[in-house]
Amino acid sequence: MALVVLAAEPRAAISAQEPQMRVLVAEGSQLLLRADADEPLRVRGLGRQERRLKRLKVQLRGGRLHLAGGGVATSLRISSSDPRGIWLGTRRYRGDLRLLVRDGRILAINQLGIETYLPSVVGSEMPSKWPLAALQAQAVAARTYALRQRGSKGDFDVRATVSSQVYKGIESETPSTLEAVATTRSLVLVHGGRLINAVFHSSSGGATEPSGEVWRTQLPYLVSVADHDDHSPVHRWNQRFDALELRRRFQETGGVDQLSVLATSSTGRVRSARIQGPRGSLVLTGRELRQRLGLKSTMVQFSMLQGAGASDGLERRAGPDRAEPAPQLIGLWRDSASGPSVSPSPLPSRSLAQPSLAGSPTPPPAPPPLPELLISAPARVIAPATAPVLEAQGRGFGHGVGMSQWGAHGLALKGADFREILRHYYRGAQIRPYRPSDDPSVAASPPPGPVWRG
């Protein structure tokens, strides 16, 4: 009942006590907004007077915002006191929406309090029917991640996609995600007096990856730990690629005659590989190889198949069919949202700043023994074959660093609470209420106590 009352309270009164998030929820040359029912939207930016409209069709012409029916502006702010939110396209959002023009596109930025933002994030990143402890762990990690991004990108703090963390608006809120956020209100993960880079992924395939083997810096709290994701539908998976598909994906080499894994990480993930084809050879990082082939992760071994049964070119499903798909996660195809990339990114403006390790009180703990992995040894060469089919046998989904969402689910099923889950994946991190002093970019001096409690 308390949660129902909390959800029904005026959002402005709650969010005024907490940090505000600016979330890029849409961009394009034309946007359509409307009120949920009879209560009109309040629109500012069209002259001195606030206008009340039930719907807005905004188009970009000549670098300015043009409203169907009349009105021109350089920026707009749309607000509503309706608890059902503001429709933007096919989704509803709480808080305000700000429309700006940047680089020839309209940006729609949702501004709202962090605790109002998070129930949708948790419901977008994890199935809402998962155990409460897993949802609570996701809430704390997502809160930490979001607060660490504030002020880092100019017009907005985070995107609403896997480039940051998924946020689908009001439709992704449920009683269980509201409870997960409310019962962890203001709690964040801190190491050395600063918010940690609380990255997460879907499933590690048995062991998480140290951050230094994926990105530039080894962070003391992002070391390899044994995962609890063996029940995940993506714990093991297979993909096959026929000769035609390989020629399409490796046009520089004209296909794949042989593949050499040159280096692997400490957990067995591919760090670099050489592709040899009719037109020459190509050396790729593990991340680049994953992108080329559309692999779920770089924890993978390869083999060349021929003969009957090797020519279907179809992906084989990982594990038995399940009614519940793997949740979306941050950083699937690019590392910009989940940590610094090691090579130029197609979206450089999204890369994260490196946290300083100065003053870290303890060295990173030693990683635990790793499970046996089906990974190619370095420099193992796959011999060429006639019209070969490449088979990829892999484990996990995502970059493998930080909290495994399926592992959090597994630990929760075993009786772990959210604090135990977070301490397992973020070694040495403290869980406590947020203070601006946790991150100097937010505020210069600490207050006497937590900023907001509700």
Side-chain angles (χ1 to χ4, degrees), residues 14-36:
I14 299 173
S15 62
Q17 305 171 32
E18 65 199 46
Q20 298 289 297
M21 294 301 303
R22 300 171 302 160
V23 188
L24 179 63
V25 293
E27 53 186 315
S29 58
Q30 178 177 298
L31 298 175
L32 180 63
L33 301 92
R34 64 179 176 86
D36 186 83

Side-chain angles (χ1 to χ4, degrees), residues 183-261:
T183 53
T184 63
R185 189 174 179 85
S186 85
L187 293 181
V188 291
L189 291 150
V190 177
H191 190 280
R194 291 192 176 192
L195 298 174
I196 72 167
N197 190 9
V199 296
F200 49 92
H201 60 281
S202 180
S203 174
S204 77
T208 66
E209 187 80 345
S211 65
E213 300 204 41
V214 177
W215 305 309
R216 291 191 184 97
T217 302
Q218 177 56 54
L219 298 172
Y221 48 83
L222 292 178
V223 297
S224 179
V225 301
D227 205 357
H228 296 262
D229 66 335
D230 54 356
H231 63 306
S232 161
V234 289
H235 184 67
R236 293 177 183 268
W237 47 266
N238 285 20
Q239 285 180 255
R240 288 183 179 183
F241 307 90
D242 61 19
L244 180 63
E245 182 70 9
L246 292 173
R247 285 195 296 271
R248 185 180 72 82
R249 293 177 184 263
F250 298 97
Q251 297 182 21
E252 309 98 312
T253 62
V256 178
D257 289 335
Q258 62 184 25
L259 187 154
S260 305
V261 176

Side-chain angles (χ1 to χ4, degrees), residues 16-155:
Q17 305 171 32
E18 65 199 46
Q20 298 289 297
M21 294 301 303
R22 300 171 302 160
V23 188
L24 179 63
V25 293
E27 53 186 315
S29 58
Q30 178 177 298
L31 298 175
L32 180 63
L33 301 92
R34 64 179 176 86
D36 186 83
D38 293 334
E39 186 171 340
L41 304 174
R42 302 192 305 274
V43 182
R44 284 166 285 176
L46 296 168
R48 297 182 179 181
Q49 299 294 322
E50 178 180 277
R51 292 178 61 178
R52 293 181 175 267
L53 303 171
K54 289 188 177 179
R55 60 187 292 123
L56 296 84
K57 183 177 181 181
V58 183
Q59 295 178 311
L60 180 62
R61 294 202 302 267
R64 304 184 75 186
L65 303 173
H66 289 254
L67 273 66
V72 179
T74 56
S75 67
L76 294 172
R77 182 176 292 274
I78 298 97
S79 306
S80 176
S81 55
D82 191 335
R84 292 167 295 192
I86 302 169
W87 283 99
L88 172 60
T90 58
R91 289 182 178 162
R92 292 182 298 153
Y93 299 97
R94 303 194 188 280
D96 294 350
L97 286 170
R98 188 182 179 204
L99 305 187
L100 305 172
V101 178
R102 295 290 185 270
D103 299 322
R105 296 179 73 78
I106 305 172
L107 304 187
I109 300 166
N110 186 196
Q111 183 169 323
L112 72 171
I114 181 75
E115 304 295 338
T116 307
Y117 160 70
L118 286 172
S120 174
V121 172
V122 174
S124 301
E125 287 284 358
M126 272 188 176
S128 60
K129 64 182 179 181
W130 275 16
L132 179 61
L135 299 176
Q136 289 171 317
Q138 181 68 67
V140 176
R143 183 184 292 109
T144 305
Y145 176 84
L147 288 171
R148 193 172 181 271
Q149 307 312 306
R150 292 182 72 225
S152 63
K153 296 180 177 65
D155 293 318

